[in-house]
Amino acid sequence: MLRLIAPHLHVDSVCDLTLARLEELKLSALLLDVDCTLKRYRDPDVSPEVVAWLDELRAGGIGLCLVSNGMGRRIGRIAERLDLPFVAKALKPFPFRLRAAVRRMHFPPQRTAMVGDQLFADVLAGRLAGLTSILVRPIHPEEEPWFTRLKRPPERYLVGRMKPGKNSPMG
Ligand SMILES: [Mg+2]
């Protein structure tokens, strides 16, 4: 069970996943969580820094798709502004919609990572879908709704126990 919520990699920010780093990791596509991963929960928009990062990856041929448990209209608006495909109401940690997105986008599963800030949603869904799971440090998690904040203390405890040193792959 612990293995299923163990990310393959921890990063502080999505922006640490540069083209060079993705090449090193042999990744060619990313499924991206939205809230607290790409942007603050309360911000309607992604920061210019993250927009620039997305542009760089896109220019480098990295496949990108937003995969959020959020509602269609809100996530759809963000996806439209970023000009990215998206899956809303993804039902993470269930892996079905991640697998469907990977198929639909023609992403090679062995070269695709799920990137997100929650062990019990993003990391678990990525693992169950047979993808690489990358955990990012949440952006301003105190802004999240209470039902998400409830999961943070056990997450921090587990991440602390699992962390073998930042950025080291965990197999
Ligand atoms: Mg999130």
Side-chain angles (χ1 to χ4, degrees):
M1 175 62 199
L2 207 55
R3 215 186 90 83
L4 280 177
I5 52 162
H8 295 86
L9 190 75
H10 295 254
V11 293
D12 279 333
S13 155
V14 286
C15 299
D16 295 343
L17 298 169
T18 58
L19 276 177
R21 188 86 176 98
L22 294 180
E23 193 176 335
E24 222 175 83
L25 295 165
K26 299 189 168 35
L27 292 172
S28 63
L30 302 177
L31 305 184
L32 298 165
D33 173 52
V34 175
D35 292 315
C36 298
T37 295
L38 293 185
K39 64 169 201 65
R40 296 168 71 140
Y41 184 79
R42 285 196 199 136
D43 271 1
D45 280 313
V46 168
S47 70
E49 192 193 3
V50 169
V51 171
W53 170 75
L54 288 168
D55 286 344
E56 192 201 324
L57 295 200
R58 198 175 359 220
I62 300 295
L64 300 167
C65 181
L66 305 184
V67 178
S68 169
N69 283 355
M71 289 298 154
R73 258 175 60 192
R74 185 171 71 87
I75 301 302
R77 273 199 297 268
I78 295 166
E80 195 180 335
R81 281 199 292 270
L82 296 173
D83 193 21
L84 288 177
F86 74 100
V87 177
K89 291 192 266 179
L91 303 177
K92 294 174 287 185
F94 293 106
F96 318 114
R97 296 206 163 146
L98 277 68
R99 284 205 200 106
V102 165
R103 271 199 306 272
R104 177 162 58 93
M105 305 289 300
H106 304 290
F107 292 162
Q110 65 283 17
R111 294 179 132 254
T112 301
M114 175 71 222
V115 182
D117 65 297
Q118 287 191 57
L119 292 183
F120 301 115
D122 307 303
V123 170
L124 182 53
R127 283 275 191 184
L128 291 173
L131 308 174
T132 300
S133 281
I134 300 179
L135 183 71
V136 301
R137 189 189 295 273
I139 312 175
H140 287 278
E142 75 284 355
E143 293 180 353
E144 290 172 303
W146 64 270
F147 51 85
T148 305
R149 268 183 291 148
L150 270 186
K151 292 187 281 189
R152 293 295 181 191
E155 275 184 353
R156 274 197 301 274
Y157 170 75
L158 288 166
V159 169
R161 278 192 34 163
M162 291 185 303
K163 214 167 192 169
K166 206 176 66 167
N167 290 355
S168 49
M170 297 188 64

